[in-house]
Amino acid sequence: MTALDLGTRFLAATPTHEHRTPEQLRAWARIALDFGDELAEEHPELPQLDIREKTGGKRPGEILLAEYHHRDHRVTLYRDSLDFAREVSAKRGVPIAPEKLRRAAIAHEVGHHLLHGPRTRELNRRLGHRVLRLRAHVAGADELAVHRYAQRLSGLNPLLLNTFLTDALDDPRARSRRSLD
């Protein structure tokens, strides 16, 4: 399955897109993935950040691998969730080196930081979605762009990992919170 296929599936599973056509979702996925590629070209190296590790990211129906703290530009990595992600991936026949997963989680969070402000507005402009003649946000498109940025910087496909983690969750409530962040 290609990144575009995974991205289209990701958007299709995102609330508010239930009645969108597969063609529309595919077009939006392509734009978001391309935007993530551009972010990686503009920012090919991860900045020096304060990285802290702790447990508590894996809860019933929810997996939080990492989070970016905007106030102090710090990233928290959740060891229990990273371990779980590696176990799930290995069971699916895609073993992931710990350092590669760690780099992908950090890159994902840095991508969210990079996407703030003018870049979000530019992504929304390119998506071309309008509601009542106003430019509107496409739910999930920013997440796709950040997934692609993380993929380019780490070599790990967060969309594939996201699929593995979603499949591993038993709790249907987890469907609303299934990403690297």
Side-chain angles (χ1 to χ4, degrees), residues 33-72:
L33 292 170
D34 288 347
F35 200 84
D37 286 338
E38 290 175 25
L39 271 179
E41 289 170 18
E42 292 172 27
H43 302 276
E45 298 294 326
L46 290 176
Q48 293 295 324
L49 297 167
D50 179 14
I51 310 284
R52 298 186 186 169
E53 294 188 28
K54 67 181 192 178
T55 59
K58 185 176 181 304
R59 296 175 221 127
E62 179 179 66
I63 300 167
L64 181 64
L65 298 181
E67 49 186 347
Y68 182 80
H69 307 278
H70 294 278
R71 288 197 172 144
D72 58 3

Side-chain angles (χ1 to χ4, degrees), residues 116-167:
H116 280 289
R119 284 193 181 98
T120 296
R121 288 189 293 278
E122 176 59 18
L123 175 59
N124 288 337
R125 186 193 67 73
R126 290 184 194 184
L127 290 163
H129 181 48
R130 296 198 171 272
V131 175
L132 300 174
R133 292 186 272 172
L134 299 173
R135 186 175 300 139
H137 173 77
V138 174
D142 54 344
E143 196 65 29
L144 278 183
V146 170
H147 277 329
R148 181 59 153 231
Y149 173 78
Q151 179 180 4
R152 292 282 304 274
L153 267 64
S154 70
L156 174 72
N157 186 340
L159 283 171
L160 185 59
L161 179 60
N162 187 66
T163 300
F164 292 168
L165 292 173
T166 299
D167 291 347

Side-chain angles (χ1 to χ4, degrees), residues 54-67 69 76-78 80-82 84 165 168-175 177 181:
K54 67 181 192 178
T55 59
K58 185 176 181 304
R59 296 175 221 127
E62 179 179 66
I63 300 167
L64 181 64
L65 298 181
E67 49 186 347
H69 307 278
T76 299
L77 295 174
Y78 292 94
D80 53 339
S81 296
L82 294 170
F84 180 73
L165 292 173
L169 295 175
D170 295 328
D171 185 348
R173 293 175 295 148
R175 301 292 185 235
R177 184 87 174 127
D181 61 68

